[in-house]
Amino acid sequence: MKLIKKQNSKKSILQKKFNAGAFVNNENSEYAKIQLFTKIQMIRYGYYRRSDLKKDKIKKIICNFNPFLKNINSSDPLIVSLKGLMKLFIGEIIEVSKQIMYEKKDNVQWLDNAIQPKHIYESIYRQFFKLF
């Protein structure tokens, strides 16, 4: 009986927060930002959301840098966090590369054309020197 009462009280607390507006989407939420995307940005965002880096590949990269971690489990939090960081880094490089294409006016239709290696090199250069 006590367990049921505790669950009901948690539900009532969540219901009160919801009614108070704690869970209402505001301008800073991710949903509001997605609403402002163009059609091409939405397509890229869809690819970004569906993309997946394989844990075995990340484990292999980690083992190349630190051989003592060769016995690490694939579901280790280190691999999961590096997987997320790598995905963010790649997404940022792609966005900066598209901005570089627009700045240099390399292609007439820069949104539809593929990124060239020179744009990727320059975006990595910019991201690296932004840190220092």
Side-chain angles (χ1 to χ4, degrees):
M1 279 307 265
K2 291 182 181 180
L3 182 63
I4 294 172
K5 287 182 181 179
K6 285 183 181 179
Q7 288 177 348
N8 288 338
S9 65
K10 287 181 183 178
K11 286 181 182 179
S12 64
I13 291 170
L14 288 175
Q15 187 66 32
K16 287 177 185 176
K17 285 183 180 179
F18 183 77
N19 291 337
F23 294 111
V24 176
N25 287 331
N26 57 11
E27 293 151 4
N28 295 330
S29 70
E30 184 179 352
Y31 179 75
K33 292 176 185 175
I34 291 172
Q35 296 295 322
L36 300 174
F37 285 172
T38 64
K39 183 179 178 182
I40 295 168
Q41 285 177 327
M42 282 296 290
I43 292 169
R44 280 204 317 258
Y45 182 72
Y47 284 128
Y48 170 77
R49 294 284 295 190
R50 289 189 301 268
S51 65
D52 186 31
L53 301 170
K54 303 297 180 209
K55 290 181 182 178
D56 295 333
K57 300 287 184 183
I58 295 171
K59 183 178 175 183
K60 186 176 179 182
I61 292 170
I62 291 171
C63 291
N64 285 339
F65 284 107
N66 191 349
F68 294 112
L69 294 174
K70 69 178 182 180
N71 294 329
I72 194 169
N73 190 2
S74 293
S75 62
D76 192 81
L78 174 69
I79 292 180
V80 174
S81 61
L82 281 176
K83 183 178 168 180
L85 288 172
M86 289 171 73
K87 190 173 177 180
L88 286 173
F89 178 73
I90 292 168
E92 186 69 23
I93 292 298
I94 290 172
E95 285 297 318
V96 173
S97 298
K98 286 290 186 180
Q99 289 174 356
I100 291 168
M101 286 175 67
Y102 174 71
E103 290 169 4
K104 292 189 173 188
K105 298 181 177 135
D106 282 343
N107 298 317
V108 177
Q109 297 174 343
W110 64 277
L111 286 172
D112 297 330
N113 292 334
I115 299 172
Q116 297 174 358
K118 63 182 180 180
H119 301 126
I120 294 173
Y121 294 143
E122 187 170 340
S123 65
I124 291 172
Y125 180 79
R126 284 187 188 181
Q127 293 297 316
F128 179 73
F129 283 107
K130 187 167 61 170
L131 297 173
F132 298 108

